[in-house]
Amino acid sequence: MSAEVARITATTPDGQTNQVPIQDGFFITRSVQVDGPEPTGKNMISDWTRSKASVLRFYDGSGRLLKTATAG
């Protein structure tokens, strides 16, 4: 992880946002699958899997968003 990252948040599919601790340049986050509607459509499995993942946001020391990524 870049030394520029000062804060990380994880937003769950149900909208809860939590701070992710950073220690010695590393972070660990976990997610719990919440059952939702069955997948449908052409890309159903990949869309369904993505909809269950937390969204990670990485910020610098001044609070500027550096990157957004999907956990998983």
Side-chain angles (χ1 to χ4, degrees):
M1 182 170 74
S2 168
E4 189 178 12
V5 175
R7 184 172 70 98
I8 303 171
T9 63
T11 303
T12 62
D14 65 358
Q16 293 182 1
T17 299
N18 301 298
Q19 297 294 319
V20 177
I22 302 170
Q23 184 156 358
D24 298 327
F26 294 92
F27 71 93
I28 296 176
T29 187
R30 71 180 183 114
S31 62
V32 177
Q33 180 174 323
V34 178
D35 287 335
E38 286 193 30
T40 59
K42 180 178 157 186
N43 299 316
M44 64 182 176
I45 298 300
S46 63
D47 291 346
W48 181 74
T49 301
R50 203 173 306 114
S51 73
K52 302 286 185 202
S54 294
V55 175
L56 302 174
R57 290 182 176 84
F58 301 84
Y59 300 89
D60 67 10
S62 64
R64 182 175 58 104
L65 180 64
L66 299 172
K67 182 175 181 154
T68 300
T70 303

